[in-house]
Amino acid sequence: MRRRRGVDLGPRVDLHCHSSASDGLHPAETVADMAARAGLSALAITDHDLPPVLGHGLKSVDGNEMRLIAAVELSTMHEDKELHLLAYFADGMPDDFAEWCRNRARWRARWYDACLDALGLDLDRADEEAREGRRTLTRLHLARALVDAGFCPNLRSAFHDHIGHSSQVIPPLNLSFLDALSVAVDAGAWTAWAHPPPKLAEQWAASFALAGLHALETHRPTKTGRNRLSAIALQHGLGITGGSDWHGWEKRKMGSFRVPARALHLTDKALGLL
């Protein structure tokens, strides 16, 4: 147990991070090892549209025991806005839902090729791993391809000028938030709207809650909007989740942001974090 000024903080967790299986820097095994050494009691590696590489269960590293929670971050659309849905499974991801996620990853490989076509670029197409649904290609992979080919001077330019969420050229995602939510809930997931903009949360949290959403991701490395989002969650009977959204490219280390499990209203019990 960790203590601060005599107060028992209890278990600390990170329910949102990424590995090189999607757009992170490090392999999932390395991410988990770093998290365990940092003293986290639970970790969810939420790669984009991909079932967990490491599965779930207890992991021990150098005497530090940590629980891996099976999870995924689904990329979706709602009213022309890209929204992300986190789906957690306390007892492991069901096989049929895992295969559904792999199909999403396979679709992302085709989407990547379609993006290159839309940009008029003759670059390397999606690799075999991506086509088979064993890793996910994202906007970051596309941006790096544009930079490596000399089409853009840097990643910022690639996102700003060509492939950002406001792009009118890149093909849109083909999965709606509400459809993804329905599939995840039917599979038994505990669901959370990832990094919701407070303004949009005020507009849509009520309807999402009625559709089966369980929580809002309120606790992130930046405290901007945290209290506002927590109030919205409480207003609509939703739980709260928290995570670093760590990819490994950041200066901060894995485990430098962690959330007290007992602060995650409803989620602590749903995922057995305490």
Side-chain angles (χ1 to χ4, degrees), residues 58-215:
L58 294 178
K59 181 178 181 62
S60 182
V61 179
D62 296 339
N64 298 301
E65 192 170 82
M66 181 187 72
R67 180 169 158 238
L68 283 170
I69 298 172
V72 61
E73 182 175 10
L74 300 170
S75 304
T76 75
M77 300 296 294
H78 185 75
E79 296 187 12
D80 297 323
K81 299 285 187 183
E82 183 169 332
L83 305 183
H84 291 184
L85 178 71
L86 295 162
Y88 302 98
F89 295 87
D91 298 317
M93 185 177 289
D95 290 342
D96 55 350
F97 185 79
E99 184 60 24
W100 182 84
C101 290
R102 287 191 193 93
N103 282 330
R104 292 302 306 158
R106 295 178 183 117
W107 179 86
R108 291 289 292 253
R110 298 192 296 272
W111 169 86
Y112 180 89
D113 290 348
C115 289
L116 293 178
D117 291 338
L119 291 167
L121 298 175
D122 184 19
L123 300 178
D124 289 341
R125 302 285 144 160
D127 59 78
E128 184 177 353
E129 271 194 306
R131 293 196 306 271
E132 293 180 353
R134 290 184 284 124
R135 77 181 189 107
T136 306
L137 295 178
T138 67
R139 289 178 194 267
L140 178 61
H141 295 97
L142 188 59
R144 290 193 179 282
L146 298 185
V147 173
D148 291 345
F151 189 73
C152 296
N154 51 53
L155 293 178
R156 181 184 295 274
S157 171
F159 277 100
H160 183 270
D161 298 332
H162 300 285
I163 65 168
H165 295 305
S166 61
S167 172
Q168 299 299 308
V169 177
I170 297 302
L173 300 174
N174 70 341
L175 178 65
S176 79
F177 185 90
L178 291 175
D179 284 348
L181 177 62
S182 177
V183 173
V185 170
D186 286 349
W190 178 260
T191 57
W193 181 0
H195 40 72
K199 187 175 181 179
L200 294 183
E202 288 176 343
Q203 295 179 42
W204 296 333
S207 60
F208 289 173
L210 288 174
L213 183 70
H214 297 106

